[in-house]
């Protein structure tokens, strides 16, 4: 049997879970109808009154929320509580450069921390553990989420944030970190670095909680073997709260969705029709307990499969597969969301043609983003330094837009592959998604 | 006074360079001077040819990006300090030199260098005033 943070919730009967969801959904729909103009309008347009939603069987009647809605409603449009009741914002990059800002009341932070605490305990965490968090801190939810979860568990928390590998390893060895939280690619990089420095015997890690980007089973085995740990997957998104929307148990056969807070659905991305268990489709979440930024039927664009099959860990909450792909063109590079449209915006702003190609590779477990841009007569000059200067300008404009470094490569005209007249914009060589 | 240099954008691929030279050869164009400047990712191939107009037309037809840059072809006396004297003249006239490369020819008794300078017309005047010999496009052609 497993380790639970809140066994009465995590192992509750399906009837109990449904009862919670029914009650909370009804309440949440009333809350957003009263406080969020966009939802009120959409429900009115569909002729749905809050009273029409009597339980989760009515969920399908509610409108979807998309990433575009979040962009259009930026910054306060979807806020369902007075700002004075909010205590935090977190943010993630959105399409066409506008960021998504999510608000939290203390209640929202607590439930998010609780979800992360469940993930840490599922990975074997107790108050005796030293939880080493090298997700980024700041607007990114990775660091704050696991940090809060670790506090809830009562573990000693090392808020390392990302980068500075030497310092990471020094703290890890000196302070005896036992649970590592970071992106899987950084975990793999750390593993390599630890082995290179001959410090494999000096670390006391027993588990890792890795998320915020796609990773394969091979990568999992590689990290587990190199660090001598068990590696757990964690899933989440800022729009819904952050990491901990779902998490893996020791069975490692999917991630349990924290269904007392989030209702998961899988839909056909083209028709919006709800699909049954076992069918592949777009994952949709409704947050039923959040106060400040509650979203109804938020389309994650992640392609997943849900399963209510009984889990050997004893938990009863539905399991989702790792994302098997995306239903839009978003890329996740170094844990950061990248949309081709963002890159296009930068190019057009800088006077380049929107003829480009994005090539993502993973070398030594680290993501690399290259943007190839076709040279034009206007951009060209006899002076190498003038061209290099333009290249540099483009690199910093991309950095400002994406938040990560992208290598710019100027290529000869008409060298970017076109298929049927339409350019192939993205070449992802990482093979992240398994089928 | 100046000669026309064709600067061609090339990716740093041997194939790319080979293609340019093949296009020019197919168009019956002879090279007087050639130089490649490159960075990690790309290069600029600089050419002086016997027929700039036809070379440009051929490159354009094949989708290459290029520009025409006026440069000076300077005859540098083959004596110690020959180049030093010319550089000093430019410096004294406040003219910046961006780069230089040489014209390879067996038919010359003195060296010939291509100078890319800031103000080619002024530079040309300053040099000829001090009896530095500048070659014109026709002169270069005859060297091939
Ligand atoms: Zn389980």
């Amino acid at each position: 049997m497993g380790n639970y943070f809140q066994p009465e919730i995590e192992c509750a009967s399906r009837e109990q879970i449904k009862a919670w969801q029914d009650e909370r959904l009804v309440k949440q729909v009333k809350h957003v109808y009263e406080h969020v103009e966009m939802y009120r309008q959409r429900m009115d347009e569909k002729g749905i009154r809050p009273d029409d939603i009597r339980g989760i069987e009515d969920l399908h009647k509610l409108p979807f929320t998309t990433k575009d809605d979040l962009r259009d409603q930026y910054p306060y449009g979807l806020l369902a509580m007075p700002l004075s009741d909010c205590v935090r914002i977190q943010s993630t990059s959105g399409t066409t450069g506008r960021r998504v800002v999510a608000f939290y009341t203390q209640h929202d932070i607590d439930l998010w921390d609780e979800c992360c605490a469940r993930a840490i305990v599922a990975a074997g965490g107790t108050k005796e553990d030293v939880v080493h968090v090298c997700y980024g801190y700041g607007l990114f939810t990775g660091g704050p989420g696991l940090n809060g979860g670790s506090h809830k568990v009562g573990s000693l928390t090392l808020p390392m944030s990302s980068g500075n590998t030497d310092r990471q390893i020094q703290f890890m060895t000196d302070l005896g970190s036992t649970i590592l939280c970071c992106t899987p690619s950084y975990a793999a990089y750390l593993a390599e670095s630890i082995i290179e420095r001959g410090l494999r015997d000096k670390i006391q890690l027993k588990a890792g909680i890795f998320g915020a980007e796609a990773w394969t089973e091979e990568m999992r085995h590689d990290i587990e073997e190199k660090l001598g740990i068990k590696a757990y997957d964690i899933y989440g998104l800022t729009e819904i709260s952050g990491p901990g929307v779902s998490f893996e148990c020791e069975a490692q056969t999917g991630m349990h969705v924290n269904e007392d807070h989030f209702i998961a659905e899988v839909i056909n991305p083209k028709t919006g029709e709800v699909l049954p268990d076992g069918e592949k489709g777009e994952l949709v979440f409704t947050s039923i307990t959040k106060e400040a930024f509650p979203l109804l039927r938020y389309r994650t664009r992640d392609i997943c499969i849900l399963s209510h099959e009984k889990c050997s860990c004893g938990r009863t909450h539905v399991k989702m597969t790792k994302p098997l792909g995306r239903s839009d063109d978003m890329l996740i590079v170094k844990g950061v969301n990248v949309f081709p449209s963002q890159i296009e915006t930068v190019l057009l702003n800088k006077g380049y043609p929107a003829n480009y190609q994005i090539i993502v590779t993973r070398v030594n477990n680290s993501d690399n983003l290259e943007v190839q841009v076709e040279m034009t007569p206007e951009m060209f000059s006899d002076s190498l330094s003038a061209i290099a200067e333009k290249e540099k300008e483009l690199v910093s404009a991309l950095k400002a837009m994406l938040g990560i470094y992208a290598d710019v490569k100027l290529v000869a005209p008409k060298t970017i592959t076109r298929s049927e007249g339409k350019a192939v914009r993205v070449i992802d060589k990482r093979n992240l998604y398994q089928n | 006074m100046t000669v026309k240099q064709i600067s061609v954008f090339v990716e740093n691929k041997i194939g790319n360079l080979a293609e340019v030279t093949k296009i020019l050869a197919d168009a019956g164009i002879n090279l007087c001077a050639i130089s490649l400047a490159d960075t990690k990712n790309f290069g600029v191939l600089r050419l002086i040819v016997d027929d700039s107009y036809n070379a440009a037309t051929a490159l354009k037809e094949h989708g290459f990006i290029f520009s025409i840059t006026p440069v000076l072809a300077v005859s540098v006396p083959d004596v110690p300090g020959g180049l030093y004297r010319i550089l000093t003249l430019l410096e004294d006239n406040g003219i910046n030199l961006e780069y230089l490369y040489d014209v390879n020819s067996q038919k010359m008794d003195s060296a010939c260098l291509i100078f890319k300078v800031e103000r080619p017309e002024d530079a040309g005047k300053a040099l000829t005033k001090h009896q530095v010999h500048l070659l014109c496009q026709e002169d270069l052609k005859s060297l091939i």
Side-chain angles (χ1 to χ4, degrees):
Chain A
M1 283 309 261
N3 316 294
Y4 317 111
F5 180 63
Q6 292 161 309
E8 70 291 353
I9 298 172
E10 293 172 62
C11 306
S13 68
R14 287 306 307 175
E15 294 71 42
Q16 178 61 69
I17 294 171
K18 182 177 182 311
W20 282 326
Q21 290 188 334
D22 285 340
E23 182 203 328
R24 291 169 186 180
L25 177 66
V26 169
K27 208 173 130 205
Q28 189 69 293
V29 169
K30 286 202 172 73
H31 176 59
V32 300
Y33 187 86
E34 274 165 35
H35 297 100
V36 181
E37 174 79 24
M38 183 190 89
Y39 284 127
R40 184 163 54 242
Q41 271 179 12
R42 294 225 176 136
M43 286 173 63
D44 287 348
E45 274 164 25
K46 291 185 111 189
I48 305 159
R49 305 267 318 143
D51 292 345
D52 297 335
I53 307 300
R54 284 176 297 258
I56 54 168
E57 53 286 347
D58 297 321
L59 184 62
H60 67 96
K61 296 177 184 166
L62 291 168
F64 287 114
T65 311
T66 64
K67 192 126 186 164
D68 283 341
D69 293 330
L70 301 196
R71 188 195 61 202
D72 296 343
Q73 298 297 321
Y74 173 92
Y76 300 122
L78 293 169
L79 185 62
M81 292 288 280
L83 256 189
S84 57
D85 289 329
C86 297
V87 298
R88 174 94 65 84
I89 72 155
Q90 301 287 160
S91 171
T92 182
S93 54
T95 43
T96 61
R98 210 180 290 180
R99 295 189 70 88
V100 168
V101 175
F103 299 84
Y104 302 75
T105 61
Q106 188 57 51
H107 162 92
D108 297 339
I109 296 281
D110 287 341
L111 78 86
W112 175 24
D113 289 351
E114 199 176 283
C115 290
C116 289
R118 291 179 196 173
I120 292 170
V121 173
T126 67
K127 63 191 290 291
E128 311 301 330
D129 279 291
V130 179
V131 176
H132 187 114
V133 184
C134 38
Y135 282 114
Y137 279 66
L139 290 172
F140 178 56
T141 50
L146 272 305
N147 193 87
S150 173
H151 277 225
K152 280 253 190 265
V153 177
S155 310
L156 177 61
T157 313
L158 302 188
M160 301 298 301
S161 199
S162 49
N164 200 339
T165 302
D166 281 319
R167 189 178 63 194
Q168 301 281 2
I169 296 173
Q170 192 191 341
F171 271 74
M172 200 174 279
T173 51
D174 292 355
L175 296 171
S177 307
T178 54
I179 297 179
L180 174 65
C181 306
C182 59
T183 59
S185 51
Y186 192 60
Y189 178 73
L190 270 176
E192 295 280 340
S193 309
I194 288 166
I195 290 167
E196 258 170 37
R197 290 164 174 73
L199 295 171
R200 175 68 165 73
D201 298 341
K202 298 275 182 294
I203 59 162
Q204 296 169 44
L205 290 177
K206 63 176 187 188
I209 301 173
F210 306 131
E213 65 187 17
W215 50 314
T216 58
E217 281 305 309
E218 289 80 60
M219 203 165 162
R220 189 209 298 264
H221 294 142
D222 183 52
I223 298 169
E224 288 187 331
E225 198 183 313
K226 287 200 170 118
L227 288 175
I229 62 171
K230 189 153 175 166
Y232 297 83
D233 204 353
I234 187 166
Y235 174 90
L237 58 176
T238 309
E239 296 89 324
I240 297 303
S241 67
V245 170
S246 67
F247 62 93
E248 213 169 42
C249 62
E250 76 262 17
Q252 294 181 322
T253 51
M255 294 175 276
H256 290 284
V257 175
N258 283 310
E259 283 188 281
D260 51 325
H261 297 298
F262 315 109
I263 302 177
E265 298 170 278
V266 160
I267 62 161
N268 176 327
K270 297 223 162 57
T271 62
E273 169 207 1
V274 179
L275 300 174
D277 251 33
E279 276 193 39
K280 197 153 100 175
E282 183 181 337
L283 186 63
V284 171
F285 282 112
T286 300
S287 43
I288 48 176
T289 51
K290 276 178 69 182
E291 296 175 336
F293 200 71
L295 299 184
L296 301 183
R297 306 191 80 199
Y298 180 66
R299 296 185 59 161
T300 64
R301 302 288 166 186
D302 283 324
I303 301 294
C304 284
I305 300 170
L306 290 179
S307 163
H308 283 89
E309 235 169 77
K310 214 167 166 338
C311 187
S312 59
C313 75
R315 286 180 186 78
T316 47
H317 293 226
V318 68
K319 278 195 291 192
M320 58 176 268
T321 57
K322 265 177 195 302
L324 306 167
R326 295 279 305 171
S327 67
D328 62 8
D329 55 0
M330 187 180 88
L331 289 162
I332 302 182
V333 184
K334 297 177 186 164
V336 172
N337 301 348
V338 172
F339 292 91
S341 57
Q342 289 176 299
I343 290 168
E344 198 166 317
T345 306
V346 171
L347 293 177
L348 292 172
N349 279 344
K350 289 277 163 197
Y352 293 81
N355 209 13
Y356 62 93
Q357 195 160 55
I358 300 164
I359 296 168
V360 193
T361 48
R362 188 168 275 176
V363 181
N364 294 328
N365 287 312
S366 173
D367 289 345
N368 185 50
L369 179 65
E370 178 180 289
V371 180
Q372 294 193 347
V373 188
E374 285 185 0
M375 184 52 117
T376 64
E378 296 74 39
M379 278 193 295
F380 181 68
S381 91
D382 171 56
S383 158
L384 276 189
S385 56
I387 301 175
E389 195 51 48
K390 286 192 171 167
E391 230 181 18
K392 235 162 98 190
E393 232 178 70
L394 195 52
V395 167
S396 46
L398 286 169
K399 176 99 205 293
M401 172 69 92
L402 306 174
I404 53 168
Y405 173 80
D407 209 6
V408 168
K409 186 163 182 237
L410 295 169
V411 298
K414 301 191 181 65
T415 49
I416 290 175
T417 337
R418 288 165 173 80
S419 55
E420 293 159 17
K422 199 170 176 290
V424 179
R425 290 286 172 234
V426 179
I427 299 177
D428 195 334
K429 295 183 175 167
R430 296 174 297 179
N431 295 323
L432 294 177
Y433 298 115
Q434 297 168 319
N435 292 307
Chain B
M1 208 182 296
T2 60
V3 297
K4 289 191 176 83
Q5 170 188 275
I6 303 177
S7 312
V8 191
F9 175 78
V10 286
E11 279 180 63
N12 273 356
K13 291 180 192 157
I14 289 183
N16 221 233
L17 273 177
E19 202 189 338
V20 174
T21 49
K22 178 167 192 311
I23 288 165
L24 295 179
D26 288 352
I29 285 153
N30 292 303
L31 299 175
C32 306
I34 181 165
S35 151
L36 175 69
D38 62 348
T39 68
K40 190 175 92 210
N41 288 330
F42 65 90
V44 176
L45 184 66
R46 293 164 179 149
L47 307 163
I48 312 273
V49 296
D50 59 350
D51 186 344
S52 302
Y53 177 79
N54 277 325
T57 312
L59 288 169
K60 194 164 192 171
E61 262 171 26
H62 287 84
F64 275 88
I65 286 180
F66 60 91
S67 64
I68 308 278
T69 318
V71 292
L72 297 175
V74 184
S75 167
V76 182
D78 208 0
V79 293
L83 178 59
Y84 172 72
R85 180 168 167 261
I86 292 166
L87 293 176
T88 313
L89 283 172
L90 290 176
E91 200 180 1
D92 291 348
N93 285 278
I95 290 163
N96 253 333
L97 174 69
E98 289 176 28
Y99 56 81
L100 60 76
Y101 56 99
D102 70 337
V103 177
N104 212 348
S105 173
Q106 262 85 59
K107 295 186 194 170
M108 269 189 310
D109 41 16
S110 64
C112 176
L113 294 180
I114 301 296
F115 280 61
K116 170 69 172 43
V117 290
E118 251 175 1
R119 289 174 281 125
E121 294 296 332
D122 293 351
K125 270 179 211 152
L127 292 179
T128 43
K129 209 170 100 188
H130 290 86
Q131 287 77 46
V132 175
H133 178 55
L134 299 183
L135 287 81
C136 66
Q137 207 102 21
E138 287 304 309
D139 296 337
L140 288 172
K141 224 195 251 185
S142 68
L143 293 176
I144 299 169

